[in-house]
Amino acid sequence: MYLLSHLVSLGETLWLGGATDDQMSQVRVLPLRVIASFRLGEAIGRSDGCDDFEYIDEIYDSIPPTLVRFVLWQHAVTMCYLRIPLYADTISEALWQVGAFVQQKWLVLSRLADLAQNSALLEPASIAPLHLRAIDIGIEGQFVTSMLQFLAADLADNLASDNNRLLWMQFVSAATKGSTESGEVYSDGITHTSIKTTTSAGTDLDGSTSQRYAKWVARISNTTQSIRILSAALMQVLAILSPQSVCQSSCTNAADALKSIFTIVLSKLSNSYTMPDNERHELIA
């Protein structure tokens, strides 16, 4: 509550500029000088010298007085998130209350990047609430685009090491994963060791998580964004089924993933008549 009230008060002073109306809170298109000020504020907050007050004073002395409050506002928001990331939801609520759209967007995308860095993009408990916040501020499309870019990078990093970190594996059922055996022989004639996903008792370690992820994708109300994620998963399946990587276990998992993906796609398309016109046109395009 302390952080929320003080950050809201700071936002009213720096972002709203003490305005008595909410005109500033409704602004979505800002002058380039204000956007540049926000970028500078973030750069200061992330710099190695962010604790060097003499260095900070020199920077602020060189900023035009009319732009100082915008630099300081983004600087403060950046420092709050970087120093106390566990309070990101509180920071987000404060930004919502003062209508700081640019900072809300920055915070959502920064948290998404941190999830990617911590290999948590495929954890429904982490990605689902952040996705809802992106919907609230109207950046769902950009959110999904950024998420898929991070997952594409994970494909290159994990293809040879940890298949369970890949998007397409989130659509493989627990039962199918549990039947995966190690030491499969690939089409190149070389025996490769597959990742086991079962405990000694045969219980799937992450099957429930993957099932929750598939359910989350299926429940995304925006059909276009849901199908974009499904399409990315489908492309990964096709890559896995290349002649160089086909083995018995990968074929079994891929078949199960394809079944799940197409089931969700058909369900989404069957409800397309209820879609808003803009979503239907976006999907067709």
Side-chain angles (χ1 to χ4, degrees), residues 37-285:
S37 299
F38 290 151
R39 293 291 180 88
L40 177 58
E42 179 185 0
I44 296 172
R46 292 185 181 275
S47 68
D48 295 334
C50 62
D51 294 323
D52 186 339
F53 295 112
E54 292 185 3
Y55 167 73
I56 299 299
D57 286 341
E58 289 180 3
I59 294 177
Y60 275 97
D61 287 342
S62 65
I63 300 173
T66 56
L67 298 178
V68 168
R69 67 185 181 98
F70 298 113
V71 178
L72 185 57
W73 172 232
Q74 181 65 60
H75 183 185
V77 173
T78 301
M79 292 295 289
C80 284
Y81 175 64
L82 295 180
R83 296 297 176 87
I84 47 175
L86 292 179
Y87 288 86
D89 288 337
T90 301
I91 298 171
S92 182
E93 178 59 28
L95 298 176
W96 178 268
Q97 289 191 24
V98 297
F101 167 74
V102 174
Q103 283 67 42
Q104 292 178 68
K105 177 181 176 180
W106 173 87
L107 182 60
V108 167
L109 296 180
S110 295
R111 294 176 70 181
L112 182 65
D114 287 342
L115 288 181
Q117 185 175 2
N118 295 319
S119 300
L121 284 177
L122 299 177
E123 297 177 5
S126 299
I127 195 67
L130 197 57
H131 173 248
L132 290 177
R133 179 62 71 175
I135 294 175
D136 288 341
I137 63 175
I139 62 165
E140 183 182 15
Q142 185 175 354
F143 177 88
V144 172
T145 296
S146 297
M147 184 185 74
L148 292 178
Q149 289 174 345
F150 287 128
L151 290 175
D154 286 344
L155 175 63
D157 294 338
N158 296 313
L159 188 58
S161 59
D162 188 359
N163 284 338
N164 294 312
R165 290 292 182 184
L166 299 180
L167 175 61
W168 75 276
M169 283 294 289
Q170 310 314 305
F171 297 90
V172 179
S173 66
T176 303
K177 280 187 177 181
S179 65
T180 302
E181 298 292 338
S182 62
E184 295 287 354
V185 179
Y186 286 64
S187 59
D188 57 8
I190 302 175
T191 300
H192 299 259
T193 301
S194 301
I195 305 270
K196 281 196 174 184
T197 58
T198 57
T199 64
S200 57
T203 303
D204 183 62
L205 291 174
D206 60 357
S208 59
T209 299
S210 64
Q211 289 175 337
R212 288 198 300 271
Y213 187 89
K215 290 179 180 178
W216 169 67
V217 174
R219 291 170 180 168
I220 292 177
S221 59
N222 188 314
T223 302
T224 301
Q225 304 307 328
S226 177
I227 290 183
R228 287 181 64 196
I229 299 173
L230 294 168
S231 297
L234 178 60
M235 294 304 294
Q236 287 190 6
V237 174
L238 296 178
I240 292 297
L241 291 178
S242 64
Q244 292 77 20
S245 63
V246 171
C247 70
Q248 181 178 351
S249 62
S250 66
C251 286
T252 302
N253 286 336
D256 195 67
L258 287 172
K259 177 182 178 181
S260 177
I261 291 170
F262 282 120
T263 297
I264 298 174
V265 170
L266 289 174
S267 175
K268 288 290 184 180
L269 293 179
S270 67
N271 294 325
S272 61
Y273 65 91
T274 63
M275 293 170 56
D277 290 339
N278 61 325
E279 285 189 26
R280 186 181 296 107
H281 293 158
E282 184 180 357
L283 180 61
I284 295 175

